[in-house]
Amino acid sequence: MSLRRVMIGVVLAIVALAGATAPASAAVQSIAGAQETQEFEGNGAGLKPPPAITMARADAYAQAAAAGFTSIQCQGVSSTLDFDGIVYVATITISCSR
């Protein structure tokens, strides 16, 4: 196994763990009257853009689901995609209201 493959695997594992263990306090919460709104930021990495974006989206929606929101209650707010020279790193922010 080449050193480059090992490095890519390590980077992906670190990003996956960071996303999976992000504290719930990362979500921004505001309450306006009877409506509750929270934002969730998902992160992902991949050798190509689509897997990075898919991982980031799944991370954001998993956080929302853990907070009790359904996908219908959420919509995309912003997204970024960067290339660090080895992997693509995506960040997606969603806003959920109920």
Side-chain angles (χ1 to χ4, degrees):
M1 185 178 267
S2 73
L3 180 59
R4 184 166 191 250
R5 287 183 185 257
V6 171
M7 291 298 294
I8 290 170
V10 169
V11 169
L12 291 175
I14 290 170
V15 170
L17 285 174
T21 61
S25 62
V28 178
Q29 179 179 4
S30 66
I31 300 176
Q35 186 166 350
E36 174 187 8
T37 300
Q38 290 189 31
E39 287 188 354
F40 301 92
E41 184 178 281
N43 300 296
L47 298 178
K48 295 186 178 191
I53 293 167
T54 299
M55 183 185 290
R57 183 179 298 117
D59 182 31
Y61 278 97
Q63 291 177 45
F69 290 95
T70 65
S71 61
I72 295 172
Q73 296 171 315
C74 303
Q75 63 182 4
V77 174
S78 66
S79 63
T80 62
L81 180 66
D82 295 312
F83 183 67
D84 70 1
I86 298 174
V87 296
Y88 289 91
V89 179
T91 301
I92 293 180
T93 303
I94 61 172
S95 179
C96 303
S97 298
R98 59 177 162 207

